[in-house]
């Protein structure tokens, strides 16, 4: 018997000859070369460009940033610095607020230098601003700490825009303070001339109290005005360093637009009250003008219903066409027979606060009340109510298949209104929202158990 070499047996079993093996080795070599070429010009994970220099990247960036181009690496650094600047300046602003309270307000109150009415005239709603700053800063700091704990050293998971929109209720508090600033300074000047003890206290505080950094009370009272005008600048810097596909990009733009609209509204109010000073002005466009009008309408609605701002939610707002039918036969005649007028309508809901310690609760409480505020179009620079708000607990909302472009709201034992929007889909959305709260709050729902007995026809008998 002839013995064969093991190599011959293996080659015979595998079926791979010398030529195919060489081709496979060449193909593997080509694949390795292409992988190395792709690695040398791999795309940036942020922008997708393939201009990433390997040598520069390995020298200047660590392993975590090895897949970023130089431009995006710089952008991430700028975004991190902008986010930290936003948080740190918010903390510094909070320190100035606490100095106002602890170094001026409380000592002046304890010593009886000013009456409670005079203190309120000078310091306005400073306590409200302190509470808002503490809540806002706490959420910001928690987001920063959580990002670092999760290894996000670039703070990409920190969404300043979303957090700002959650605390958008702090903007009316700034407005209250800013509108009273002129009268507050005038009152302080007058009282300082009248009361010698007050003048001595303010001079000693400025010169001897190291916590004040040799600044007087007037300088500290300007802190809220300076802070509210700095928000758009800080947000703009974060927006510039945030890519368009970042989840917080749209929220950042919305937050910047909201604060700019409030600043324009504050300037408009100061001019109406005859004050000469104004806050930093921003370029106005049609959208910002619309937002300023919305802010003014919300203030009118809140003042009318008398609810707390933090317990109020604006469900819907916008322009609707309204008609008051003379009888109940308008459906048969058609909505074309009705005379409609344009009206600004706001749907407000009063929510119970789940926790007194939290400004914005993740889980909203039950609905206490819901109203529909009807405002006429602006006349002579002011808004006027058509009538008192319609409480949905006393209303029944219905629609008819023959007039699907309108819906009817009947105030029990009073009036009936027909509403419609220029867009049919939006008309249906208004109808669903109003009907929802009408059913939830309606006192007539207590009789709902009796309705089936009236509406059900003769019962079927079992066979």
């Amino acid at each position: 018997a002839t013995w064969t070499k093991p190599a011959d047996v293996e080659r015979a079993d595998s079926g791979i000859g010398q030529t195919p093996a060489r081709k496979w080795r060449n193909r593997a070599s080509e694949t390795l070369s292409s992988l190395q070429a792709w690695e040398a010009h791999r795309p940036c994970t942020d922008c997708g460009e393939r201009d990433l220099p390997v040598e520069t990247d390995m020298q200047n960036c660590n392993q975590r940033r090895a897949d970023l181009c130089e431009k995006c690496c710089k952008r991430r650094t700028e975004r991190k610095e902008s986010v930290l600047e936003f948080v740190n300046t918010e903390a510094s602003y909070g320190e100035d607020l606490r100095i106002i309270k602890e170094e001026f307000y409380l000592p002046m109150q304890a010593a009886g230098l000013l009456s409670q009415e005079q203190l309120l005239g000078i310091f306005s709603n400073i306590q409200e601003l302190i509470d808002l700053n503490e809540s806002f800063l706490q959420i910001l700091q928690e987001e920063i700490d959580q990002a670092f704990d999760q290894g996000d050293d670039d703070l990409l998971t920190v969404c300043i825009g979303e957090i700002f929109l959650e605390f958008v209720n702090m903007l009316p508090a700034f407005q209250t303070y800013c509108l009273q600033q002129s009268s507050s300074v005038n009152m302080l000047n007058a009282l300082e001339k009248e009361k010698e003890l007050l003048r001595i206290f303010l001079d000693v505080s400025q010169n001897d109290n190291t916590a004040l950094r040799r600044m007087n009370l007037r300088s500290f009272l300007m802190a809220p005005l300076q802070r509210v005008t700095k928000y758009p600048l800080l947000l703009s810097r974060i927006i510039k360093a945030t890519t368009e596909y970042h989840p917080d990009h749209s929220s950042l733009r919305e937050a910047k637009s909201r604060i700019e609209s409030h600043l324009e509204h504050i300037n408009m109010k100061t001019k109406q009250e005859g004050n000469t000073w104004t806050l930093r002005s921003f370029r106005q466009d049609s959208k910002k003008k619309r937002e300023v009008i919305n802010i003014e309408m919300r203030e009118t609605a809140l003042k009318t219903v008398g609810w707390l701002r933090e317990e109020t939610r604006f469900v819907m707002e916008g322009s609707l066409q309204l008609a008051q039918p003379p009888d109940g036969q308008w459906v048969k005649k058609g909505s074309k027979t009705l005379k409609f007028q344009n009206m600004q309508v706001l749907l407000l809901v009063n929510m119970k606060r789940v926790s007194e310690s939290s400004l914005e609760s993740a889980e909203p409480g039950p609905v206490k009340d819901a109203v529909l505020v009807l405002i006429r179009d602006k006349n002579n620079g002011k808004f006027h109510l058509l009538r008192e708000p319609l409480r949905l607990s006393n209303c029944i909302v219905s629609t008819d298949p023959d007039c699907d472009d309108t819906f009817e709201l009947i105030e029990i034992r009073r009036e009936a209104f027909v509403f419609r929007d220029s867009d049919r889909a939006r008309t249906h959305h208004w109808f669903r929202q109003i009907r929802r709260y009408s059913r939830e709050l309606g006192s007539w729902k207590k009789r709902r158990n009796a309705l089936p007995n009236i509406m059900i026809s003769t019962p079927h008998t079992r066979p």
Side-chain angles (χ1 to χ4, degrees):
T2 330
W3 292 95
T4 58
K5 296 180 181 180
D8 296 338
V9 175
E10 182 180 357
R11 185 164 53 250
D13 293 341
S14 62
I16 300 178
Q18 187 176 2
T19 302
R22 189 182 302 113
K23 290 182 179 179
W24 182 85
R25 285 194 298 270
N26 293 338
R27 193 172 301 165
S29 177
E30 293 174 1
T31 303
L32 180 60
S33 299
S34 63
L35 288 175
Q36 290 175 350
W38 183 88
E39 180 67 19
H41 303 284
R42 60 193 179 279
C44 172
T45 56
D46 277 9
C47 64
E49 298 293 333
R50 292 180 177 268
D51 57 351
L52 182 62
V54 178
E55 295 80 4
T56 304
D57 183 76
M58 295 301 294
Q59 292 174 1
N60 298 336
C61 293
N62 54 21
Q63 187 64 29
R64 177 176 51 83
R65 294 190 173 188
D67 53 353
L68 292 176
C69 66
E70 185 177 357
K71 180 180 178 181
C72 291
C73 186
K74 182 180 179 181
R75 178 186 292 174
R76 284 197 181 187
T77 302
E78 291 176 353
R79 186 181 188 278
K80 177 181 178 180
E81 293 175 352
S82 302
V83 170
L84 291 178
E85 181 185 8
F86 189 98
V87 178
N88 293 335
T89 52
E90 186 71 21
S92 300
Y93 160 67
E95 285 295 327
D96 290 343
L97 293 181
R98 282 184 284 276
I99 287 176
I100 294 175
K101 178 181 178 181
E102 297 173 3
E103 305 297 335
F104 290 105
Y105 181 87
L106 293 179
M108 292 165 65
Q109 184 184 44
L113 296 178
L114 297 177
S115 64
Q116 192 63 33
E117 183 179 357
Q118 292 170 337
L119 289 172
L120 181 61
I122 294 176
F123 296 97
S124 186
N125 62 329
I126 194 70
Q127 184 59 50
E128 182 183 10
L129 294 176
I130 292 175
D131 295 339
L132 289 168
N133 168 260
E134 290 178 350
S135 302
F136 188 37
L137 186 60
Q138 179 182 357
I139 299 298
L140 290 173
Q141 196 60 55
E142 289 177 356
E143 291 293 320
I144 297 292
D145 296 341
Q146 184 178 359
F148 282 131
D149 292 342
Q150 294 176 352
D152 179 18
D153 294 337
D154 290 329
L155 305 180
L156 295 178
T157 57
V158 177
C159 297
I160 297 293
E162 292 182 2
I163 300 174
F164 193 95
L165 291 178
E166 289 178 3
F167 285 83
V168 76
N169 277 339
M170 66 182 177
L171 298 181
F174 277 107
Q175 175 176 316
T176 301
Y177 186 90
C178 292
L179 293 179
Q180 296 183 7
Q181 177 64 19
S182 180
S183 60
S184 298
V185 173
N186 293 335
M187 179 180 291
L188 178 62
N189 294 336
L191 291 173
E192 192 174 1
K193 292 179 181 179
E194 296 176 5
K195 297 179 179 290
E196 184 178 0
L197 290 179
L198 176 62
R199 184 170 63 253
I200 294 174
F201 168 77
L202 294 177
D203 291 340
V204 172
S205 299
Q206 179 179 356
N207 296 324
D208 298 342
N209 192 340
T210 57
L212 303 186
R213 309 187 299 274
R214 302 189 68 83
M215 294 170 57
N216 55 28
L217 175 57
R218 293 174 186 81
S219 300
F220 282 100
L221 291 177
M222 291 295 295
L225 279 73
Q226 295 170 350
R227 184 58 185 172
V228 73
T229 54
K230 197 171 183 180
Y231 280 135
L233 304 177
L234 294 171
L235 292 172
S236 296
R237 186 179 176 189
I238 300 176
I239 292 172
K240 186 178 179 181
T242 303
T243 57
E244 293 184 0
Y245 58 83
H246 191 280
D248 195 39
H249 190 269
S250 60
S251 297
L252 285 168
R253 290 192 172 277
E254 176 66 18
K256 181 174 177 290
S257 178
R258 294 286 290 272
I259 181 62
E260 289 178 353
S261 298
H262 270 274
L263 292 177
E264 293 295 341
H265 186 250
I266 292 173
N267 287 336
M268 182 186 67
K269 285 290 187 181
T270 55
K271 292 179 181 179
Q272 291 178 355
E273 295 181 4
N275 295 326
T276 56
W277 66 272
T278 57
L279 297 176
R280 182 180 183 275
S281 180
F282 294 88
R283 181 180 61 87
Q284 291 191 13
D285 52 25
S286 58
K287 182 179 179 181
K288 288 188 176 62
K289 289 180 179 179
R290 178 71 253 176
E291 291 175 351
V292 171
I293 294 175
N294 290 341
I295 293 170
E296 192 171 356
M297 287 195 303
R298 293 187 200 117
E299 287 189 348
T300 302
L302 274 177
K303 186 177 180 181
T304 302
V305 298
W307 296 347
L308 296 176
R309 188 180 301 273
E310 58 270 18
E311 295 182 357
T312 304
R313 186 161 62 92
F314 292 88
V315 180
M316 291 191 68
E317 56 188 21
S319 177
L320 281 179
Q321 295 179 1
L322 177 145
Q324 292 182 272
D327 52 35
Q329 302 297 322
W330 68 271
V331 176
K332 295 181 180 179
K333 299 176 183 178
S335 58
K336 294 182 179 180
T337 60
L338 298 177
K339 185 178 180 180
F340 286 91
Q341 58 178 324
N342 293 326
M343 195 71 53
Q344 299 295 331
V345 182
L346 293 90
L347 175 57
L348 283 70
V349 175
N350 193 4
M351 312 289 291
K352 291 183 179 179
R353 297 177 63 181
V354 176
S355 174
E356 294 294 332
S357 60
S358 61
L359 180 67
E360 293 286 343
S361 176
E363 293 294 334
V367 177
K368 292 194 297 184
D369 202 355
V371 298
L372 209 62
V373 179
L374 309 178
I375 302 178
R376 296 181 184 274
D377 283 344
K378 201 168 186 180
N379 186 18
N380 297 328
K382 294 183 179 180
F383 288 106
H384 298 280
L385 297 175
L386 174 67
R387 44 154 296 157
E388 67 273 12
L390 289 166
R391 299 200 172 273
L392 298 187
S393 58
N394 298 328
C395 297
I396 298 177
V397 188
S398 61
T399 186
D400 192 281
D402 296 332
C403 298
D404 60 346
D405 61 337
T406 61
F407 65 91
E408 186 175 18
L409 185 145
I410 301 176
E411 190 178 16
I412 299 176
R413 298 179 181 177
R414 295 193 65 180
E415 299 176 275
F417 300 90
V418 177
F419 293 95
R420 72 179 181 187
D421 194 279
S422 56
D423 181 62
R424 183 169 300 185
R426 186 162 175 81
T427 302
H428 294 167
H429 185 54
W430 273 100
F431 166 68
R432 288 191 297 269
Q433 291 291 336
I434 296 174
R435 182 182 60 176
R436 168 191 170 188
Y437 294 106
S438 174
R439 287 181 173 180
E440 185 174 349
L441 297 170
S443 57
W444 50 270
K445 70 180 181 180
K446 299 177 181 179
R447 304 191 302 272
R448 188 174 296 170
N449 294 333
L451 291 178
N453 298 330
I454 300 174
M455 301 175 65
I456 293 178
S457 59
T458 306
H460 295 284
T461 57
R462 292 184 180 180

